Amino acid sequence: MFQLSLRMTSQPQRAVEAVKALRCITVEAQVERGYLASRIYQEVGNPEALCLEEDWSSEPELKSHIRSGCFTELLLLMETAPEAPVLEVRAIPKIHGLEYIEAVRFGDN
């Protein structure tokens, strides 16, 4: 799995508008091949700090997304930020659920 992670600040008093723009971008991404999920959230105590996470099933599908018009819209939104945004792509080789926690707490070391 690959995850795109963005943290950006919005201009003062424009956080609601920026969140709406992020929602539109994620709605467009949902129809792309390889899209798994996305999350948009604001930092507690700092509503102008916005975060977006998108999960993609494979690197080729993420690369296709990065070349899309939808991603261009994201880049344009990032340019409106008063501070430099942080955009990361994370390769996640393996994901564990509660079975891992159970095994660590009660099972094998």
Side-chain angles (χ1 to χ4, degrees):
M1 181 173 82
F2 284 79
Q3 187 176 75
L4 182 79
S5 175
L6 168 66
R7 184 195 181 277
M8 65 177 278
T9 55
S10 65
Q11 295 177 0
Q13 309 301 321
R14 302 206 100 161
V16 171
E17 184 180 319
V19 168
K20 286 181 182 178
L22 286 172
R23 282 186 186 143
C24 288
I25 290 166
T26 58
V27 166
E28 288 182 38
Q30 290 175 7
V31 299
E32 292 184 40
R33 184 178 180 154
Y35 171 89
L36 297 173
S38 61
R39 292 156 300 286
I40 300 169
Y41 52 94
Q42 294 172 289
E43 289 184 1
V44 174
N46 186 4
E48 294 167 353
L50 308 174
C51 300
L52 166 68
E53 293 177 350
E54 292 180 347
D55 299 335
W56 295 86
S57 60
S58 71
E59 186 174 20
E61 291 163 334
L62 173 62
K63 286 181 176 181
S64 176
H65 172 61
I66 290 171
R67 293 183 193 108
S68 72
C70 175
F71 196 80
T72 300
E73 292 176 29
L74 180 62
L75 294 173
L76 291 172
L77 179 63
M78 289 169 56
E79 288 182 6
T80 68
E83 299 172 17
V86 176
L87 182 65
E88 299 176 336
V89 174
R90 301 174 182 148
I92 303 171
K94 197 169 185 180
I95 298 173
H96 300 282
L98 286 175
E99 72 282 351
Y100 179 81
I101 304 302
E102 183 179 0
V104 170
R105 290 182 58 98
F106 306 113
D108 40 341
N109 297 322

